[in-house]
Amino acid sequence: MILVLLLLFLALLGLNFYFGVREWWHPKDSAPLPVDVEYVRVENYFGKSFRTKMQEWLQTASPVETTKPCEPPMKSLLEKPNHERILILTGGLLSGDGHEALVYCEGDLQLSDHCSLHREVYCRGNLNSGTGVQFQALAADGEIILGPENDVSRWVDAHRKILLGRGTVIHSRVSSSESIELEEQVAAQSLYASVVFTTGYRPCEPADIAAQMEDSIEETPDGVGQHASPFPEDCSVSQLAADTWLVRGDLHLPEGKRVATNIIVRGALTTGPDCEFWGDVKADRAELGLRNRVHGNLVSGGGIAIGESGWVGKSIAAETDILLHSGVRVGTPAILAAVSAGKEVKMEADVAVYGKVTGGQAVKSVGKIDADCDVKPRAKKRWFAVTVLLALVICQLRMPVFAQAERQLPFTQPQENSSARAANPSDPALGDPTGNYRFRLEAGGFDNAVSNRFGQWWGGLISLSYKPSNRVTTSASLISQTRPAGTEQLVTLDTVIDWSKWFYTQIGVSGGGADDPAAFFPRYRYDINGFFKVPGKPALVLDGGYTRLQFGAPVGGRISRMGAIYYWRKFVFQGNLNFNNVRPGNHKSKSVSGAVQYGQEGHYWIGLTMGGGREAWQTLTLTPQDVQFTSYSTSVFLRKWFTPRHGMAFSYNYAVKRAAYRINGVDVRFFVDF
């Protein structure tokens, strides 16, 4: 009987290698996924593509018979070959909640307050919305005026001007062939137009400023030659080239100072009023005073704040936040510029950018901000121990992966709580060597190096477990992760209950992610798992479970799983088969995982985990595309007790997502039982 069970386990474990061997013999992922280069070249890619697709759909769709005659503004209802419907409007006022069809309007369209459109909208004329309207995405050949508190899940594109009302949120791109105006408390991911401005901007000013700039270029800066140092005598400076100076340490320039060369500051750059830079400026952090002018690019390894009535002739880039005070202008009508921040771009009233504004987290229009509340560097609090890889992060922290296109969220693997439960000292197969401690406090950190320019994914966690009785164990964890796009936190609660000597369950609830399809962590997730010890064979445990998780609409998923755990002497073997279902697209895929570990609770555990399978999901681009990745992961781990109460855990993790990226990482944790 033991031999049969061992062969059964080896068969389940062998499934881990099946996908890899099959791909080796019959490669399917030998070429990268095709990417439309226009996606990165054309700022209005989504609007342009949607218009083209809509014209194709109107040609292929067929009329739908309705029980009631169409009433204005409704003209007809069409159905595509895939049964998706298109609502044809003549123009006018549209009201109601929960419109599920695509909308095509032949004229001007007005939307009533709190109207809700769950699919894309294409308006051939002007579009005007009331308060609290919800969109999926919208394109207009005329102008777009969105009222207060509107919410757009994806993108906005117009041939003419766009006005975003107070409190409106756009979760992706905004593009216009003319201009984009932001009232207060507007947030978007990216904005592009000939001019992007906030309330209070006067369109007549850019030409005047551009003329003044052209006149000032012909002048000679007062007493500043390219070979003479323009900096205070107590500064540590060196000349890198005829037109470039390097300053080591912080630099403060007094009022009216002019610099004719490029400068690099290895520290913080602060300036008084009316300073002028004729070249490029780069600093670890930059705070420019009132009416400062920069004729070149302004770059910072930290944050940037530009004082009132400042001007930058070319682009601005910062690793963290950018603050543009009232009256700031970036670029000129003739030469478009870009403002790019790793975190947030904040724009006060009467700010204008000729070109593009984008933020890793958001671009926001705000009220007056205190001068002290700007870009002071934030200490990067990396946890004591660094790193854990995707195998650990995906299996235990269940975070999505942010890849290409507008946002892409492949499905994540389930948490393998059964491995931890297998090593629980309360299990009859293991005995109880740990002294019946009721609490365990564990803290650590992780860091993952991700290829293909995905950057570093690092963070830490702290968890507390409590065992009020021999039948119940409950735990809570707080997890924080930072990626180049920002930082998010996740809270988890987990309970294991022994109902009898043959059966126990594990129930987990977690959440905390942003209401965003591109969030790292889900908004909520729950897991229900059952474990059955085979009568007469207490060393064999059969398990099954179900997981439900939801990110920002419409991304979510479900997992059903089955597997087995087998104890043999100091070995613990485990195998699981997962059936995944991901939305949007209702895509199904399978994955397997296996683990073997050796040791004893209270002394040490050493082990190996491996997994593989297909990730099937749908991109949230303009035209949804079905995408599949083959993924493999492996992890080597060690958990060691130095005393009966204290110890540490270490793991090295490696994962491959074919045609996407690779991840290497380590995880270090310390724990104490009491």
Side-chain angles (χ1 to χ4, degrees):
M1 183 62 180
I2 295 178
L3 180 60
V4 173
L5 294 174
L6 182 60
L7 291 176
L8 177 62
F9 171 77
L10 292 176
L12 291 173
L13 186 62
L15 287 175
N16 290 289
F17 304 97
Y18 166 73
F19 297 99
V21 173
R22 186 181 67 174
E23 179 68 22
W24 184 19
W25 287 346
H26 305 287
K28 295 181 180 180
D29 292 329
S30 56
L33 292 172
V35 177
D36 188 348
V37 295
E38 295 300 316
Y39 171 76
V40 294
R41 291 180 179 176
V42 180
E43 292 294 339
N44 65 339
Y45 172 83
F46 295 111
K48 182 179 179 181
S49 299
F50 178 59
R51 290 180 176 90
T52 302
K53 287 293 184 182
M54 178 60 78
Q55 297 301 328
E56 296 176 1
W57 295 335
L58 293 175
Q59 297 297 324
T60 58
S62 57
V64 176
E65 295 184 1
T66 58
T67 57
K68 297 180 180 180
C70 297
E71 298 181 358
M74 181 176 174
K75 178 180 180 181
S76 62
L77 184 64
L78 305 180
E79 187 173 79
K80 295 164 53 181
N82 64 353
H83 306 296
E84 193 174 31
R85 295 190 171 187
I86 304 175
L87 180 63
I88 307 298
L89 306 177
T90 57
L93 177 64
L94 178 66
S95 60
D97 186 20
H99 295 282
E100 298 291 344
L102 294 162
V103 176
Y104 176 81
C105 182
E106 298 174 341
D108 295 341
L109 178 62
Q110 183 174 357
L111 300 171
S112 64
D113 292 349
H114 306 292
C115 184
S116 178
L117 302 171
H118 295 169
R119 296 304 309 272
E120 291 85 350
V121 177
Y122 178 22
C123 179
R124 296 300 301 268
N126 301 323
L127 187 147
N128 195 318
S129 68
T131 302
V133 178
Q134 295 184 347
F135 297 91
Q136 176 74 4
L138 63 152
D141 291 347
E143 64 184 32
I144 293 177
I145 300 177
L146 299 185
E149 306 295 336
N150 279 210
D151 186 277
V152 183
S153 299
R154 296 173 63 194
W155 48 267
V156 177
D157 178 67
H159 285 169
R160 296 176 62 188
K161 72 175 184 179
I162 295 176
L163 170 62
L164 305 179
R166 182 184 180 91
T168 292
V169 177
I170 314 294
H171 294 276
S172 186
R173 300 183 183 182
V174 183
S175 56
S176 168
S177 300
E178 288 188 4
S179 64
I180 301 174
E181 180 179 357
L182 287 72
E183 294 185 352
E184 279 194 18
Q185 300 179 12
V186 171
Q189 193 74 33
S190 172
L191 305 107
Y192 175 81
S194 296
V195 56
V196 179
F197 61 92
T198 56
T199 302
Y201 163 76
R202 292 184 299 168
C204 61
E205 289 187 353
D208 298 337
I209 295 177
Q212 293 175 6
M213 292 301 102
E214 292 176 359
D215 294 340
S216 64
I217 291 176
E218 298 177 358
E219 301 175 1
T220 302
D222 296 339
V224 180
Q226 290 190 345
H227 299 284
S229 172
F231 309 110
E233 295 182 358
D234 57 349
C235 287
S236 175
V237 299
S238 58
Q239 192 167 13
L240 301 180
D243 61 347
T244 305
W245 288 84
L246 171 65
V247 180
R248 297 178 179 85
D250 296 343
L251 173 64
H252 175 74
L253 296 179
E255 179 179 358
K257 191 68 176 181
R258 293 190 173 187
V259 179
T261 62
N262 303 320
I263 64 168
I264 301 173
V265 181
R266 296 287 178 82
L269 170 64
T270 57
T271 67
D274 300 312
C275 291
E276 190 164 9
F277 300 86
W278 294 76
D280 295 332
V281 178
K282 182 177 181 181
D284 292 346
R285 177 172 62 88
E287 287 187 66
L288 305 187
L290 303 177
R291 300 179 298 279
N292 276 217
R293 292 180 177 180
V294 180
H295 292 255
N297 299 295
L298 177 59
V299 181
S300 171
I304 293 176
I306 301 179
E308 293 184 4
S309 302
W311 177 79
V312 178
K314 296 183 179 179
S315 296
I316 302 175
E319 290 288 335
T320 56
D321 299 325
I322 295 177
L323 172 58
L324 305 179
H325 285 284
S326 178
V328 168
R329 304 289 184 264
V330 181
T332 66
I335 303 176
L336 299 185
V339 177
S340 175
K343 293 186 177 179
E344 291 186 345
V345 178
K346 296 180 180 180
M347 305 166 63
E348 291 185 352
D350 187 22
V351 170
V353 176
Y354 304 98
K356 182 176 181 178
V357 187
T358 180
Q361 294 179 354
V363 178
K364 297 181 179 180
S365 57
V366 297
K368 188 69 175 179
I369 297 180
D370 294 337
D372 294 334
C373 181
D374 46 35
V375 293
K376 295 292 189 290
R378 302 172 183 173
K380 292 185 177 180
K381 299 181 179 179
R382 293 216 178 197
W383 303 78
F384 176 79
V386 202
T387 93
V388 67
L389 180 109
L390 191 66
L392 182 65
V393 173
I394 284 183
C395 292
Q396 294 186 344
L397 310 187
R398 47 249 204 226
M399 68 183 68
V401 180
F402 185 29
Q404 65 162 24
E406 188 178 3
R407 12 177 159 43
Q408 299 180 355
L409 290 169
F411 189 66
T412 54
Q413 298 289 340
Q415 183 181 11
E416 305 298 346
N417 288 310
S418 51
S419 292
R421 180 63 181 87
N424 194 303
S426 66
D427 200 296
L430 294 176
D432 186 6
T434 61
N436 284 321
Y437 300 124
R438 295 293 187 186
F439 295 90
R440 169 172 292 180
L441 179 64
E442 188 162 342
F446 56 87
D447 195 4
N448 302 290
V450 188
S451 65
N452 288 347
R453 300 182 180 179
F454 282 95
Q456 297 293 120
W457 300 351
W458 62 272
L461 61 89
I462 183 170
S463 65
L464 178 65
S465 299
Y466 173 53
K467 188 176 181 182
S469 70
N470 291 332
R471 288 183 174 271
V472 179
T473 301
T474 183
S475 62
S477 301
L478 174 62
I479 302 161
S480 178
Q481 191 197 41
T482 297
R483 297 188 187 181
T487 301
E488 291 187 12
Q489 287 76 37
L490 180 74
V491 177
T492 70
L493 299 173
D494 187 89
T495 300
V496 177
I497 302 176
D498 279 292
W499 299 97
S500 70
K501 63 179 181 179
W502 304 113
F503 180 73
Y504 63 92
T505 59
Q506 176 267 331
I507 301 175
V509 178
S510 62
D515 186 8
D516 185 347
F520 308 163
F521 298 123
R523 293 178 56 201
Y524 66 85
R525 168 175 175 153
Y526 61 81
D527 300 82
I528 302 175
N529 300 284
F531 302 86
F532 177 72
K533 303 173 187 177
V534 179
K537 298 291 181 181
L540 177 63
V541 180
L542 303 180
D543 67 86
Y546 176 81
T547 293
R548 178 76 170 89
L549 68 164
Q550 181 66 50
F551 298 91
V555 178
R558 293 167 289 177
I559 309 170
S560 299
R561 55 186 166 273
M562 57 184 297
I565 307 170
Y566 183 69
Y567 301 90
W568 181 64
R569 297 183 180 178
K570 290 188 176 183
F571 286 94
V572 181
F573 303 92
Q574 181 185 7
N576 276 294
L577 175 61
N578 308 305
F579 301 90
N580 310 318
N581 186 301
V582 185
R583 295 178 180 178
N586 199 35
H587 289 280
K588 297 179 180 180
S589 62
K590 299 181 183 68
S591 60
V592 294
S593 60
V596 56
Q597 61 189 59
Y598 176 84
Q600 185 177 9
E601 191 80 358
H603 297 280
Y604 66 89
W605 285 105
I606 186 170
L608 170 69
T609 65
M610 301 186 69
R614 298 289 291 183
E615 290 183 2
W617 43 280
Q618 190 177 81
T619 63
L620 293 181
T621 54
L622 169 67
T623 304
Q625 303 175 17
D626 297 338
V627 181
Q628 289 190 343
F629 281 133
T630 300
S631 302
Y632 314 103
S633 62
T634 184
S635 174
V636 179
F637 63 88
L638 170 66
R639 179 176 288 268
K640 172 63 177 174
W641 279 258
F642 299 123
T643 71
R645 292 174 175 246
H646 308 86
M648 70 174 294
F650 172 83
S651 67
Y652 167 76
N653 309 277
Y654 176 75
V656 177
K657 194 174 300 295
R658 295 292 302 275
Y661 54 78
R662 300 172 184 266
I663 308 182
N664 285 276
V666 294
D667 171 84
V668 180
R669 305 184 189 185
F670 296 89
F671 62 88
V672 56
D673 297 328
F674 56 96

